[in-house]
Each structure stands twice: as structure tokens, then as C-alpha cells.
Amino acid sequence: MKVIVVGGGAAGMMAAAAASQTGAQVLLIEKNEKLGKKLFITGKGRCNLTNACDPDIFFGNVITNPKFMYSSFYGFSNDAVMEYFESLGCGLKTERGDRVFPVSDKSSDVIKALERSIRDNGVTVKLNTKLERIELSNGQVSGIVTDRDGKIAADRVILALGGVSYPGCGASEDTFRIADSLDIAVKEAEPSLVPLVAGDEWVPRLQGLSLKNVSARLYIGDRKIYEGFGEMLFTHFGVSGPIILSASAHIMEKMYGQDPVIHIDLKPALDHKQLNERVLRDFSSVMNRQFCNSLDKLLPSKLIPVIVDLSGIDGHKKVNEVTREERERLVNLIKDLKLNITGNRGFNEAIITRGGISVREIDPSTMESRKIPGLYFAGEMIDVDALTGGFNLQIAWSTGHLAGICAGE
């Protein structure tokens, strides 16, 4: 059996390794100058390669088409992924939120482990080689055509072409170009896990401010569609950070006409009554200070001028002159700081792509095309995506492994 894998990212390398373990003759082609180019930058170069959670938590973090993942995940679960990489000499550690990283904190060690696996199993790798088209014979896969070698015959072809995000790592519209040539249905690509743009004029004043242990609720109109707790970051254009990226996964572009609003609770550990009592205690110790100089025990210094302005309380007013109504306004603001979202930062800054090959086109028990025998799909090019925390790489490993095993048999 001759199998060609197109795409040398996480899913493609896993597919090539799995196919080679069945005894198939495997060729892996990659258009970049090296394998794992996007994998190298994941997790800020540390590579959060999976999440050591229970299966129900994994599926709860898959936003789009989680049921499609049942067969592939249970066939190559997060536990199996961890065992696999450790068997290749890549030691792992589990951190907060069950995030799993290489002990070295180097994504290059994950890539090297995969490269060792495919090399030891006799996979042939061709770099700087671009897929031009899929060759068919009597409706079945017969090979591929590349820009360097022309037609290459094969019994099976696995496509792991990736998404559109991070074009600097070689991402492109290849998934959609190939799908269109084969009349395979796709869902439109959108950026996901992406920083959000805010329209509020005060936001740029907070550029560089990182907030920990805050909660965020995302509303589309009157409907709450996301709530999270953790860290966020203000930027010159809006907001980023873990809870913001997770919120972005719930916003479809078609929703932007409905004015998404993020409500930030700066003190989620305190309810309104407790926060009001805290403010009263702080005020009582600085009764003769100006209001603008009274919040240093409560808020980060960079945030104070913005909160003072948004509260509508005269910053030069003495604390002992602040009325109960003004104090209530301050408490409400701290518990519900609103950000009006006007868009996102696009594919250049998106961690993943939402959309791709429709799951209706793929047999989830094999990853094979329902329309074209011998054609398989894996990874980000499929319309499945998840939140941050190692879940998207788990999707790549699981679908890549299943595609490789089934194509190689």
C-alpha cells in the first residue's frame, strides 16, 4: 500500500507515522522548508500538546462538531498521546488547567520526536513541494500532482493542509482550493482564538495592562454565550489573553451586526455587598484624599484613571464627599466594565481557523471522504475547533492517527 500524506504539520506528521506503522509505504510532502513550522510557535514556543482532562471535559471544550470526534478521540485519546510522546523520549509535564507541555518547554522537542518516529518507520519526506491537485481514476484517488515532481501515484492520499491562520507559517487557502476542485463541501473559514477589537475610546490607554483572576461574560444582544475566568490583556486595539481568546471562539462573523459586548468583573471573588464594604473600608482610611488617589489598594495603577473617568465622579473630590450613589456607581463599574466589540484581528493573529471541510463529507470512523474513495482528511482543515488548552492539538493528533491507520491498512 502506497500512502501520500500532504502537509507536514501536527496532523500530517502523526498521520504519516501512523500509516507507516501499518507497513504501508509512506511519502510525506510539505510545501515549507521544514516540518512542523506552525507547531514550533504553539504555546509561545512551549507547545501545549494536549490536555490531561477527562473525556467529557475534552468534548465540552470542542466548540464545533464535537460528536464528529468520538471515534478518533477514543481511538487515540489524550492519554494515548501522552504515552506516545513519552515513548519517543519526549518527557511531559502537566500544569495548571491540566495543560500538558514537554518537560523542556521546547516545542522543537515535540517536532523532533515526531521526526524520529517517521524516520525510524521509513517515511520519505519531500520539503519545498506544493500540492497542485489530486489525481482521480474512475472516481477514486490515484495520486497527486506537485509543482516539483509532477504526478506521483498512490493508493491512498491523506490531506492535512491546515487552516488559514498564521500565513507566515505557510497557511493558505489550499484546503478550499482543493475542496473546490473536487466538489467537496466546505464551511467558510473564520479566524478563531483571536484577539478582539474594541470600539471604546479608553481602551488604548490601558495598552499593556494584564489582569489576572477576572471574569468575562460575552453577550450577543441579550443572550449570554460565554463566561470565563482567568487572565486577559489590554492592547492598543482591544483585548487579548486566554479568556478573551476563548470568548472569540463563540463569536461568528455574522454576529457582529448584533454588537457583541464583553462584561468584565474586575473583582469576581467579591459580590456587590462585599465589594461595597471593601470600598468603604478603603475610603475610611483615606478620607481626606482626592478620589483619584484613593483606589490604589483596589485596582492596578494604570486602570485607576480610566475607572475614575468612567465612574463620572470628579477625581478631585475628597473621598469624604463621595456620595452613596456615586460609590454604588463605582462598585457597579468594577463589577461590570463593558467592552463593545467591533471585530477581530483576523487570520494573521488567529491561533486556529474555524471552518473547512464539512464533517458531512467525512466518515468519522475512518476520516475517509464519503465521496472519493482513498481520500482522507486530518487536522485543522476539518470543520472542528476547540478552546485553548491543548484541545486543538489533540484534535490534530486524533484525526491524524485515525486517518493514518485507516489509509495504511
Side-chain angles (χ1 to χ4, degrees):
M1 181 71 67
K2 184 174 182 180
V3 178
I4 296 177
V5 181
V6 185
M13 283 191 283
M14 181 60 75
S20 66
Q21 289 166 5
T22 68
Q25 179 186 351
V26 181
L27 168 64
L28 172 61
I29 73 165
E30 165 57 44
K31 65 183 178 183
N32 285 318
E33 74 284 359
K34 59 185 177 182
L35 299 176
K37 198 166 183 180
K38 183 178 177 182
L39 189 58
F40 184 76
I41 65 171
T42 60
K44 297 180 180 178
R46 297 179 62 215
C47 191
N48 177 194
L49 76 166
T50 189
N51 192 287
C53 61
D54 292 334
D56 58 334
I57 294 177
F58 168 77
F59 289 110
N61 279 274
V62 179
I63 300 301
T64 307
N65 298 315
K67 292 181 179 179
F68 176 82
M69 288 297 303
Y70 286 174
S71 292
S72 60
F73 177 79
Y74 285 113
F76 197 58
S77 68
N78 48 357
D79 289 335
V81 166
M82 290 185 280
E83 183 180 342
Y84 176 78
F85 279 101
E86 289 187 323
S87 74
L88 294 173
C90 181
L92 304 177
K93 60 181 178 179
T94 302
E95 298 186 357
R96 181 175 53 85
D98 287 329
R99 289 167 163 83
V100 179
F101 295 88
V103 169
S104 65
D105 283 330
K106 294 180 180 179
S107 57
S108 57
D109 285 349
V110 175
I111 298 168
K112 288 173 184 175
L114 286 166
E115 289 177 325
R116 274 197 306 275
S117 179
I118 61 179
R119 182 183 65 242
D120 292 348
N121 284 288
V123 174
T124 300
V125 178
K126 282 182 175 286
L127 302 175
N128 298 302
T129 302
K130 182 180 178 182
L131 174 69
E132 296 286 354
R133 65 179 184 272
I134 303 293
E135 286 284 290
L136 304 179
S137 178
N138 298 320
Q140 297 190 110
V141 163
S142 60
I144 64 172
V145 175
T146 73
D147 62 343
R148 292 186 61 183
D149 302 300
K151 183 176 179 179
I152 307 173
D155 302 298
R156 310 274 174 80
V157 172
I158 302 172
L159 296 181
L161 300 176
V164 186
S165 58
Y166 284 130
C169 292
S172 69
E173 296 279 351
D174 285 351
T175 290
F176 300 90
R177 174 178 62 84
I178 296 297
D180 183 61
S181 71
L182 299 173
D183 195 28
I184 290 174
V186 298
K187 292 295 180 69
E188 184 179 354
E190 293 183 37
S192 188
L193 302 184
V194 61
L196 297 175
V197 178
D200 308 270
E201 57 84 23
W202 50 267
V203 167
R205 294 166 59 188
L206 298 179
Q207 179 179 352
L209 175 63
S210 177
L211 298 177
K212 296 182 179 181
N213 302 319
V214 298
S215 69
R217 291 166 288 125
L218 173 66
Y219 281 82
I220 304 292
D222 295 327
R223 185 164 60 98
K224 183 173 73 173
I225 63 171
Y226 168 77
E227 184 168 9
F229 173 85
E231 300 178 23
M232 63 173 291
L233 172 71
F234 284 94
T235 68
H236 67 284
F237 56 79
V239 281
S240 187
I243 59 174
I244 300 300
L245 298 181
S246 293
S248 77
H250 296 266
I251 303 177
M252 311 297 179
E253 286 188 1
K254 62 186 178 183
M255 294 179 174
Y256 281 123
Q258 300 180 48
D259 299 326
V261 179
I262 291 179
H263 300 250
I264 301 168
D265 185 345
L266 297 169
K267 295 293 178 182
L270 305 175
D271 61 24
H272 276 75
K273 181 181 178 183
Q274 292 169 328
L275 181 58
N276 186 52
E277 291 171 350
R278 165 69 189 276
V279 170
L280 272 173
R281 286 198 303 273
D282 288 354
F283 278 5
S284 66
S285 65
V286 291
M287 295 295 288
N288 292 315
R289 279 192 195 175
Q290 293 181 330
F291 171 60
C292 62
N293 296 321
S294 67
L295 301 175
D296 52 304
K297 292 182 180 179
L298 189 65
L299 299 170
S301 58
K302 197 166 190 175
L303 184 58
I304 291 172
V306 171
I307 292 297
V308 169
D309 289 349
L310 293 177
S311 73
I313 304 170
D314 183 353
H316 300 294
K317 178 183 275 191
K318 292 289 182 67
V319 167
N320 59 17
E321 297 174 348
V322 174
T323 66
R324 185 178 65 180
E325 290 76 14
E326 288 175 328
R327 191 178 69 250
E328 180 67 21
R329 205 157 66 228
L330 172 65
V331 169
N332 288 338
L333 179 62
I334 292 171
K335 294 292 290 180
D336 189 16
L337 180 63
K338 297 181 181 66
L339 283 165
N340 294 286
I341 304 304
T342 59
N344 63 56
R345 294 289 284 180
F347 290 113
N348 282 344
E349 297 183 32
I351 294 175
I352 61 164
T353 302
R354 178 193 295 118
I357 304 296
S358 170
V359 296
R360 295 182 180 180
E361 295 277 358
I362 306 169
D363 181 345
S365 65
T366 62
M367 293 294 128
E368 187 173 16
S369 168
R370 294 187 184 276
K371 185 176 293 183
I372 302 172
L375 182 63
Y376 296 76
F377 303 99
E380 194 178 348
M381 71 180 298
I382 302 171
D383 183 28
V384 181
D385 61 86
L387 299 180
T388 59
F391 303 107
N392 287 290
L393 271 178
Q394 180 63 49
I395 291 170
W397 308 134
S398 293
T399 57
H401 185 268
L402 181 58
I405 292 294
C406 294
E409 291 177 339

